[in-house]
Amino acid sequence: MAAIETPCEKICIVDQPTGLCRGCGRSLAEIGRWMTYSDAERARIMDELSRRLEAMDVRALSPATTGRQG
């Protein structure tokens, strides 16, 4: 049985505003269904993860979310 590729970083913290994992960028639904997705569906999601994580980082650093004035 071949191992299924996973983006899990073992940092399982849900970002409340987005509902995405701060470690891997997946939604809770995606994490829960990961083993049932086809290889193509997992690849499609994995292609989106870096963008999702970057968007969370940008949002976290913006003055509107940190309370800082720019």
Side-chain angles (χ1 to χ4, degrees):
M1 183 179 214
I4 293 177
E5 185 177 12
T6 178
C8 183
E9 295 288 334
K10 309 275 191 273
I11 304 171
C12 303
I13 300 169
V14 175
D15 179 67
Q16 293 303 312
T18 64
L20 300 175
C21 175
R22 296 280 312 151
C24 69
R26 293 178 293 172
S27 70
L28 293 178
E30 289 168 339
I31 292 168
R33 296 181 187 130
W34 197 251
M35 299 295 284
T36 66
Y37 288 145
S38 68
D39 290 343
E41 185 65 8
R42 283 192 297 271
R44 183 194 63 77
I45 293 167
M46 288 181 70
D47 285 344
E48 296 175 9
L49 297 180
S50 62
R51 241 182 354 267
R52 293 178 186 182
L53 291 168
E54 183 177 313
M56 275 192 283
D57 289 342
V58 167
R59 184 195 46 77
L61 294 175
S62 73
T65 59
T66 61
R68 289 184 283 154
Q69 299 292 318

